[in-house]
Amino acid sequence: MCGRYASSRKPEDLVELFQVDRWNPTETLAPSWNVAPTDDVWAVVDRADRETGELGRELRPLRWGLVPSWAKDPSVGARMINARVETVHEKPAYRKAFAKRRCLLPADGYYEWTAVPASEDRKAYKQPWYIAPEDGAPMAMAGLYEWWRDRTRDDDDPLAWWATCTIITTEAVDAAGRVHPRMPLAIAPADFEAWLDPSHQDPGELRSLLIEPAAGNLGARQVSLAVNSVRNNGPHLLDPPDQPAPAA
C-alpha cells in the first residue's frame, strides 16, 4: 500500500514537468515530507474548460482519500486511499472514476515500514523506509479522482463539493519489494496523455497502461523515526535514523 509520501516540489515546477495548461496561483499547498491520508495533495488532471469546453491539463489540489459520489458521508474516504490495480476497474467505489476521472499524483518518494522486534535495550518499533527513484526524478503515481456533493450546504457554497482522490497500487518491484509487497503504480511520461484523457474509456486499453510500473530503479533507505508521527514535517524526516534497524 501507500499510506504516506513526500511531495516537496513547487507548483511552478510541477506545471513545467507535467506540461500543465491551467493552474490557479491562488491555490497553494505547502511542501510536505509527510503527506498523510485526508491531506490536500497536488494532482494533474485533464478536464474540459467550463466556458469553452476545451480540454486542458490542470494542476489542482485534491483531498487524499476517495469519496464515491454515492457515499452518505465523506468519512469513508479515509479508508479509500489506495485502489488495487488488479480490481480497480470493477470495484463499485472506483470503476466510474477509472473510466472517466484519472489523474497523476506527483511525489518525490513514499514511505513504508518494517517491524523491528524488541531487544535488550529497546522496545519493539516500526522502522520507516523512504522509497524513491534513484535518479531523483519525480514519481507520477497513477490515481483516480471523484466529486462528492455535501447536501448539507447550499449550491453556491464553495465547500459544497469535495474533490477527492486515491492512489493505484501494484506488486512491488526493485528495492521496494524487499520492504513491502505493494507499491504505488507510476505512469511513464510517454503514457501521461493516454492515461489522463477522459475520452479514453475502454477498460482493456486503460488496463494495458497499468501492466507494470514505469521503468526506473527505486532505492530504499531507512529514515528518521520522526516520520512515524504525522505531526512532524520537514526535510529532516529523510535523515538517517540514529540507530539503523536490520536490513529488510
Side-chain angles (χ1 to χ4, degrees), residues 14-27:
L14 297 177
V15 166
E16 182 177 353
L17 285 167
F18 291 92
Q19 299 180 327
V20 168
D21 304 311
R22 299 190 292 261
W23 165 57
N24 183 352
T26 64
E27 294 181 325

Side-chain angles (χ1 to χ4, degrees), residues 2-16:
C2 176
R4 215 85 66 77
Y5 68 93
S7 179
S8 65
R9 285 178 168 83
K10 296 179 180 179
E12 293 86 353
D13 295 334
L14 297 177
V15 166
E16 182 177 353

Side-chain angles (χ1 to χ4, degrees), residues 204-227:
E205 292 181 2
L206 293 170
R207 282 177 55 78
S208 70
L209 302 175
L210 305 176
I211 292 176
E212 59 184 23
N217 293 326
L218 294 174
R221 59 185 176 87
Q222 298 179 31
V223 292
S224 171
L225 295 181
V227 174

Side-chain angles (χ1 to χ4, degrees), residues 139-158:
M139 296 181 69
M141 300 186 295
L144 309 176
Y145 71 99
E146 190 57 274
W147 297 94
W148 182 80
R149 176 69 164 87
D150 185 347
R151 300 296 177 184
T152 66
R153 296 183 178 273
D154 295 334
D155 290 342
D156 58 354
D157 188 331

Side-chain angles (χ1 to χ4, degrees), residues 43-159:
V44 178
V45 303
D46 278 7
R47 295 186 67 211
D49 184 88
R50 289 183 178 180
E51 297 181 359
T52 67
E54 182 180 355
L55 189 67
R57 185 159 299 171
E58 299 179 2
L59 179 70
R60 59 165 301 142
L62 300 175
R63 181 184 172 96
W64 185 18
L66 188 140
V67 181
S69 60
W70 41 260
K72 293 182 179 179
D73 67 79
S75 63
V76 67
R79 303 191 301 274
M80 295 189 176
I81 62 171
N82 292 163
R84 295 176 66 92
V85 68
E86 296 87 352
T87 57
V88 66
H89 62 295
E90 58 189 13
K91 290 287 187 181
Y94 303 125
R95 61 190 177 199
K96 286 187 177 180
F98 182 74
K100 298 181 179 180
R101 289 177 289 277
R102 299 174 298 276
C103 62
L104 297 172
L105 301 168
D108 306 335
Y110 69 100
Y111 300 101
E112 287 295 354
W113 283 260
T114 52
V116 180
S119 61
E120 292 183 359
D121 59 349
R122 194 168 192 175
K123 295 181 180 179
Y125 66 98
K126 290 186 176 181
Q127 173 60 53
W129 294 72
Y130 181 63
I131 302 168
E134 292 183 332
D135 62 1
M139 296 181 69
M141 300 186 295
L144 309 176
Y145 71 99
E146 190 57 274
W147 297 94
W148 182 80
R149 176 69 164 87
D150 185 347
R151 300 296 177 184
T152 66
R153 296 183 178 273
D154 295 334
D155 290 342
D156 58 354
D157 188 331
L159 300 179

